[in-house]
Amino acid sequence: MTHYPQIASQLFNRPLLAHRGTLEQYARAMAPRIFGGPVTFGGEWQAGLIGEPVRDVVDWEGNPTYTGPRMIGKTGVAVIEAEGALVPKGKWIGAMCDATSYEGIHAQVSDCRSNKDIRGVILEVDSFGGAVSGAFSCADAIHQLAQEKPVLAILTEHACSAAYLLASAATGSVIPKTGLAGSVGVIMLHVDYSKALDKAGVNITPIFSGARKNDYSPYEALGEEVYKKAVAEADTVRDMFIDAVAGYRKGRITADALRKTEAETFMGADAVNMGLVDEVGDPIAAANAFISEIGRKAA
């Protein structure tokens, strides 16, 4: 049996804008919960539990927790965080894992646009990415905010895949020396637990109408035709990713240059040299400089 179907539907059998290493971490941590026992990942038996609270617009019971953008004193600068796994409909996740929902970011972006007391926004990013669903509309919302008010993306170490998509939509960006940025690509996991069912003495026979209705079935190995379809879908999402970043960072990096990275991540100065990020700097120093600049413009 599959537990937590909402989480499973977001993690498996669909394209993800997530860094490969962190995708493995989430799969290792969540799969035992989802499938009710140890699973194999890369040929190794794995089991694990995680239990960090989710930062979202609602708590695990669905009660509102968001009270408006977090302001830095009376500086006129607000902070929006994009940390942990980036997920759609985050209220479904509850306190299962460390995550930020696109819904929560949307709410804060909307309030930053309408609040006249907010003159600048720091987008604090520390994430290896997450779901495709909701990522592009969230990035577009950040980009729209950046057309109206300065938005500085400060990487407090990582902005990979979907997280980089969000960071690229800001007015400017700063990365620490050891920070990572990039991973402009798409990845997908297919789960096959037919052997586990065989060992348990369980036989499942899918009955369906429509030749493609049973694609990505977890009860059998992934066929070559379905695999090719999945690769094509991943290529389509990657093209969308590349076009979006090239549009947000027009004049700083081209679609061709992004494609040639082959979803590689780049550290610090290398990310700047590639045009993925604008400058290397200490996050706290960058935040203080941004606050001072917003203050000077208001004076």
Side-chain angles (χ1 to χ4, degrees), residues 13-285:
N13 296 330
R14 64 166 54 198
L16 296 173
L17 296 177
H19 184 268
R20 173 62 172 76
T22 292
L23 174 62
E24 180 171 340
Q25 287 181 339
Y26 278 100
R28 289 175 186 268
M30 296 307 301
R33 287 189 171 193
I34 292 170
F35 299 112
V39 299
T40 57
F41 193 101
E44 300 177 5
W45 287 97
Q46 298 294 335
L49 296 176
I50 54 179
E52 294 297 322
V54 65
R55 288 181 291 275
D56 205 352
V57 293
V58 295
D59 64 19
W60 67 278
E61 293 181 322
N63 300 314
T65 59
Y66 174 64
T67 58
R70 178 161 64 89
M71 300 287 290
I72 301 177
K74 297 181 180 180
T75 62
V77 175
V79 176
I80 298 176
E81 295 179 349
E83 300 184 344
L86 301 176
V87 298
K89 300 182 179 179
K91 58 188 177 183
W92 288 358
I93 302 297
M96 284 299 297
C97 63
D98 185 16
T100 301
S101 80
Y102 296 126
E103 289 173 304
I105 296 174
H106 260 295
Q108 295 173 82
V109 168
S110 178
D111 286 347
C112 285
R113 291 182 64 188
S114 62
N115 189 330
K116 295 181 179 179
D117 292 331
I118 296 174
R119 300 187 299 275
V121 177
I122 291 174
L123 178 66
E124 184 181 351
V125 183
D126 190 5
S127 167
F128 286 97
V132 171
S133 179
F136 290 99
S137 61
C138 187
D140 283 343
I142 293 170
H143 185 61
Q144 182 60 49
L145 172 62
Q147 307 310 300
E148 302 170 9
K149 302 177 182 182
V151 178
L152 178 64
I154 298 180
L155 283 57
T156 53
E157 286 290 319
H158 310 102
C160 299
S161 213
Y164 176 70
L165 174 65
L166 302 188
S168 72
T171 310
S173 51
V174 177
I175 187 172
K177 293 179 181 179
T178 57
L180 289 178
S183 190
V184 183
V186 179
I187 193 166
M188 183 186 298
L189 293 179
H190 173 258
V191 176
D192 174 8
Y193 53 93
S194 57
K195 292 182 180 179
L197 293 173
D198 288 342
K199 290 182 180 180
V202 178
N203 182 36
I204 295 178
T205 304
I207 299 171
F208 53 94
S209 177
R212 308 309 295 265
K213 188 67 175 178
N214 199 41
D215 284 359
Y216 306 109
S217 170
Y219 308 126
E220 58 189 37
L222 192 66
E224 183 177 354
E225 186 176 358
V226 180
Y227 176 80
K228 290 180 178 179
K229 176 187 175 185
V231 171
E233 290 177 352
D235 285 342
T236 297
V237 177
R238 182 188 177 210
D239 288 342
M240 294 170 60
F241 192 171
I242 289 171
D243 290 344
V245 173
Y248 297 149
R249 295 186 60 77
K250 189 173 183 179
R252 289 173 283 183
I253 192 168
T254 66
D256 186 55
L258 286 164
R259 192 174 303 281
K260 288 180 179 178
T261 67
E262 293 294 349
E264 185 179 354
T265 55
F266 298 87
M267 181 183 291
D270 289 336
V272 174
N273 292 336
M274 284 295 301
L276 293 168
V277 185
D278 293 314
E279 60 181 287
V280 174
D282 175 76
I284 295 176

